[in-house]
Amino acid sequence: SYIDIYYLYFKKMFARNILNFRRICIISNRKLHDSSLQAYVETVEAKNDLLSFAKKGQTLVSLRNLMETGNGHHLASFEKYVPVKDSNANDNERIMMQVACFLHRELAVRSAHRATKLEEVELFKQSPHIKHVCNMYKLSFAKLRRLPVPSNLENEKIFARELESIYERHSATLINMAKGANEVRDAIKELQKVESKFKFDNYKSDIQKRLDEFYFSRIGIRLLIAQYLALREPPIPNTIGLISLNTNIHDIALNAIENASYICTRTHGDAPEVTILGRLDLTFPYIPSHIEYILVELLKNSMRATVEKHGVDDMPNIKIIIADGEENEDIVVKVSDEGGGIKRSDMDKIWSYLYTTGDPSV
């Protein structure tokens, strides 16, 4: 009947409004919390705490460490130093508390390093986007320092929720740093106009070193958080958190080809074919998402160069070659194209974060 239809309609609208109201409340509470945290970050106490943690050493963590910890191989040694306060916790919960306790200190140290190291470069301090990234790390550091040690189940759950928020908060860091690099590049051009004696070469190596450190550390921070959050999810066969014990490059390459082809086709109208050769059956323990990210970036560049060199009507194939052997210590993945290559005069520039052959505004 019409009455039933109207009843269901208003019931649905009421439920939707309640849900939207809850979302608004959560966002409002988060903004209030962030504003109070921002005020604390500016205090002398917070600045001194940040500097003290920036002097601490970061812990080296290997893929093997992540796998062994995820399997609980180091629980006994950990619990000698940090007693678990929930005696009824099962093995998986104890592993979560072990990882959380490690991250409680380690992420604070790494966040402090990132915030302070970027501010040591004068050109970075002039970039609004890099200053924003520094501030985000300061906020994350302050949040981590306020969290209780996650040595019981309740505190571990609080810690996990906060890390989810921090992980999401820093998701735009790469975009902001890319915009920051453009700002630094523009600032250098202006300095060269005003100061005839300004020598960019005097700054180039330091900028490169600082950005290398930043990006390597960011990968490490994101990996540690994502691995911990993945371990809290229901287990997947042959997987430890993010790590697949049977990573297959051929399967990853197929996904990367599909993604890169879509981007190339959207931009240029078509994309070259890609052929995969070599050890197609090869499997090994690794993080599939990292390989896919790298392959997509390589293929995007390769496809763009191929289209621009040959046009969409006569595009030679791109080749992905997977190389491995019993005598090899490494697995090598080669992307080969006929896109024209790189000018010899540009070879010393290609690894610079301030150099690009593409449109910086894109």
Side-chain angles (χ1 to χ4, degrees), residues 130-164:
I130 295 180
K131 283 173 66 177
H132 173 71
V133 170
C134 285
N135 189 59
M136 296 299 285
Y137 278 105
K138 289 177 183 178
L139 288 171
S140 295
F141 171 80
K143 281 194 172 186
L144 289 164
R145 293 288 289 141
R146 288 185 171 190
L147 291 172
V149 177
S151 56
N152 61 53
L153 291 175
E154 182 181 355
N155 286 348
E156 189 272 328
K157 288 178 182 176
I158 294 170
F159 184 76
R161 284 198 300 270
E162 194 56 60
L163 281 202
E164 286 177 355

Side-chain angles (χ1 to χ4, degrees), residues 99-354:
V99 177
C101 285
F102 169 72
L103 295 182
H104 184 263
R105 176 196 178 276
E106 185 64 23
L107 292 177
V109 172
R110 294 188 181 215
S111 297
H113 274 259
R114 297 288 54 80
T116 55
K117 292 294 183 183
L118 285 177
E119 287 187 326
E120 290 175 359
V121 181
E122 191 60 37
L123 284 169
F124 289 172
K125 291 197 289 187
Q126 298 174 22
S127 162
H129 283 93
I130 295 180
K131 283 173 66 177
H132 173 71
V133 170
C134 285
N135 189 59
M136 296 299 285
Y137 278 105
K138 289 177 183 178
L139 288 171
S140 295
F141 171 80
K143 281 194 172 186
L144 289 164
R145 293 288 289 141
R146 288 185 171 190
L147 291 172
V149 177
S151 56
N152 61 53
L153 291 175
E154 182 181 355
N155 286 348
E156 189 272 328
K157 288 178 182 176
I158 294 170
F159 184 76
R161 284 198 300 270
E162 194 56 60
L163 281 202
E164 286 177 355
S165 173
I166 289 173
Y167 191 85
E168 180 62 29
R169 180 188 299 278
H170 288 266
S171 60
T173 295
L174 287 181
I175 295 171
N176 283 317
M177 287 300 292
K179 291 178 179 178
N182 288 338
E183 289 164 351
V184 170
R185 189 186 298 114
D186 293 340
I188 290 168
K189 289 178 181 177
E190 290 302 314
L191 282 170
Q192 288 172 331
K193 289 178 184 177
V194 177
E195 302 178 30
S196 57
K197 294 181 180 179
F198 179 82
K199 301 286 187 184
F200 173 56
D201 288 342
N202 297 339
Y203 295 85
K204 183 167 63 174
S205 60
D206 187 45
I207 289 174
Q208 191 70 15
K209 178 185 174 184
R210 300 287 184 173
L211 289 176
D212 276 341
E213 289 175 354
F214 174 83
Y215 284 114
F216 277 121
S217 181
R218 182 184 184 274
I219 291 169
I221 291 171
R222 301 284 289 180
L223 173 56
L224 289 173
I225 296 176
Q227 173 70 1
Y228 164 63
L229 295 177
L231 286 172
R232 299 184 87 256
E233 297 296 322
I236 299 172
N238 299 314
T239 303
I240 306 170
L242 295 177
I243 305 165
S244 170
L245 302 179
N246 298 313
T247 300
N248 182 283
I249 294 181
H250 174 259
D251 293 344
I252 295 170
L254 291 176
N255 289 332
I257 291 165
E258 182 179 353
N259 291 333
S261 296
Y262 170 78
I263 294 168
C264 185
T265 302
R266 188 182 61 185
T267 307
H268 299 285
D270 202 354
E273 295 291 325
V274 182
T275 307
I276 308 174
L277 306 169
R279 284 289 309 276
L280 307 187
D281 60 336
L282 180 67
T283 61
F284 59 101
Y286 208 75
I287 302 169
S289 58
H290 284 197
I291 299 175
E292 182 167 356
Y293 183 91
I294 294 167
L295 272 178
V296 168
E297 292 302 311
L298 289 174
L299 287 169
K300 278 165 54 182
N301 289 345
S302 188
M303 288 179 178
R304 177 170 72 91
T306 300
V307 171
E308 290 177 354
K309 174 76 174 177
H310 299 275
V312 293
D313 296 325
D314 187 25
M315 296 180 291
N317 283 11
I318 294 169
K319 297 182 180 65
I320 295 177
I321 303 164
I322 306 167
D324 178 53
E326 293 181 3
E327 299 176 358
N328 292 347
E329 293 182 349
D330 301 310
I331 296 161
V332 178
V333 182
K334 176 182 177 182
V335 178
S336 174
D337 63 59
E338 297 177 38
I342 300 165
K343 294 177 182 178
R344 188 176 297 276
S345 58
D346 289 339
M347 288 300 290
D348 63 335
K349 304 176 187 175
I350 61 171
W351 301 114
S352 171
Y353 295 99
L354 304 181

Side-chain angles (χ1 to χ4, degrees), residues 55-71:
K55 294 175 183 176
K56 298 178 187 291
Q58 301 176 90
T59 306
L60 294 175
V61 180
S62 68
L63 200 65
R64 183 184 295 277
N65 294 147
L66 293 177
M67 292 169 63
E68 290 177 350
T69 303
N71 278 329

